[in-house]
Amino acid sequence: MLLEVQNLNAGLEDGKQILNDLNIKIDAGEIHVLMGPNGAGKSSLGNTLMGNPVYNVTSGKILFKDQDITEEKTDKRAKLGMFMSFQQPLEVPGISLESFIRASIQQKTGEHVKLFQFQKELKACMELLNMNPDYAKRDLNVGFSGGERKKSEILQLLMLKPDFAILDETDSGLDVDAVRVVSKGIEEYRKTVGGSLLIITHNAKILESLKVDYTHILVKGHITHTGDGSLVEQINKEGFEKYI
């Protein structure tokens, strides 16, 4: 068992409850998809798992690699091997994309990153994602288009090689070609790292090259139904009404 969430109840700092008695188990190497209507709490779950301080856990546990990380800060979770790709990646002026990724790797591993090998791998990953190599020297996400920001997130995924990644609507706002490139990056992560994924999405296109193990339907902060990969197509055809 890589990740286990036990009877999780969580909400915002103002006391608003969002997640209700939520349970989920993710084994090493598994791909889980999380779907649900708008406002169901999908992004809130991702942020709570990652330790976003905006969210408070009122009861329940989050276990990762047999460690109770319910109260751990985000940086500790990242060092343990967790990663989250954001729906709306923020601009970070003053630090280049290349420097950010290199510093993140050093923080995660605690080891010095050899520059030549790092730049060689970074270049290969950027080529895979059809990213202009000049973006490596630009401030993180500053002036990036929506598509380039999402590629930047997947680039970080490929370089950091986490054991578990949460992808929060990484495909939102992307055209067909950009979705195809992002999917290629996710497929490469699976092939080279074999890590587990929790993919929050409304778009089955990003899942076409992946073998989905479980699909979960989230309604009002509670998982109401779990099925296999075929449930994604069923939801796309029929919607969420029968699960609400």
Side-chain angles (χ1 to χ4, degrees):
M1 189 66 61
L2 183 67
L3 175 79
E4 183 174 4
V5 180
Q6 301 175 347
N7 301 318
L8 185 67
N9 290 273
L12 296 172
E13 292 176 316
D14 62 8
K16 180 183 178 182
Q17 186 82 2
I18 298 177
L19 303 177
N20 301 292
D21 292 323
L22 191 144
N23 293 276
I24 189 171
K25 294 180 180 181
I26 299 177
D27 282 335
E30 287 183 344
I31 297 178
H32 290 238
V33 172
L34 185 67
M35 305 182 80
N38 292 332
K42 301 184 297 296
S43 294
S44 295
L45 174 58
N47 279 283
T48 301
L49 293 178
M50 202 64 219
N52 187 331
V54 171
Y55 295 86
N56 290 326
V57 174
T58 53
S59 64
K61 287 184 178 181
I62 302 171
L63 305 175
F64 185 66
K65 294 181 177 178
D66 295 325
Q67 295 187 45
D68 187 344
I69 62 167
T70 312
E71 303 296 331
E72 296 289 359
K73 293 185 177 180
T74 302
D75 62 330
K76 176 67 179 295
R77 301 182 196 211
K79 287 176 181 178
L80 283 172
M82 295 182 71
F83 173 91
M84 184 169 179
S85 169
F86 295 98
Q87 188 174 345
Q88 296 178 321
L90 297 175
E91 293 185 356
V92 185
I95 182 169
S96 69
L97 173 59
E98 178 180 346
S99 297
F100 176 78
I101 294 175
R102 190 180 179 204
S104 297
I105 294 172
Q106 289 185 167
Q107 284 292 315
K108 180 188 172 189
T109 63
E111 300 175 359
H112 175 72
V113 176
K114 295 180 180 178
L115 184 60
F116 176 78
Q117 183 60 36
F118 167 78
Q119 290 182 330
K120 180 181 177 181
E121 186 176 354
L122 183 69
K123 180 182 178 182
C125 289
M126 293 186 79
E127 287 178 354
L128 177 76
L129 297 171
N130 293 339
M131 288 186 74
N132 186 326
D134 293 341
Y135 276 74
K137 304 297 183 184
R138 292 175 57 175
D139 285 0
L140 179 60
N141 293 331
V142 176
F144 286 26
S145 67
E148 293 298 337
R149 290 189 185 201
K150 297 299 178 74
K151 289 181 183 180
S152 167
E153 296 279 285
I154 300 302
L155 177 64
Q156 294 166 46
L157 172 69
L158 290 172
M159 293 296 293
L160 285 167
K161 303 177 177 64
D163 298 309
F164 172 62
I166 304 161
L167 307 184
D168 186 7
E169 298 198 27
T170 305
D171 50 350
S172 65
L174 301 182
D175 60 29
V176 175
D177 291 334
V179 169
R180 189 177 295 115
V181 171
V182 167
S183 298
K184 188 177 179 182
I186 297 171
E187 187 180 5
E188 181 68 15
Y189 162 75
R190 285 285 300 163
K191 186 168 65 177
T192 57
V193 180
S196 299
L197 289 168
L198 177 62
I199 304 175
I200 301 169
T201 185
H202 292 287
N203 188 349
K205 209 74 177 166
I206 199 171
L207 305 172
E208 286 182 352
S209 61
L210 302 172
K211 182 186 178 297
V212 175
D213 295 293
Y214 296 97
T215 303
H216 309 280
I217 308 300
L218 190 71
V219 178
K220 295 181 180 179
H222 185 75
I223 292 177
T224 61
H225 191 83
T226 294
D228 58 19
S230 65
L231 183 56
V232 174
E233 192 60 37
Q234 186 178 330
I235 291 297
N236 284 332
K237 289 179 180 178
E238 301 175 2
F240 296 109
E241 187 174 348
K242 65 186 287 185
Y243 301 101
I244 297 176

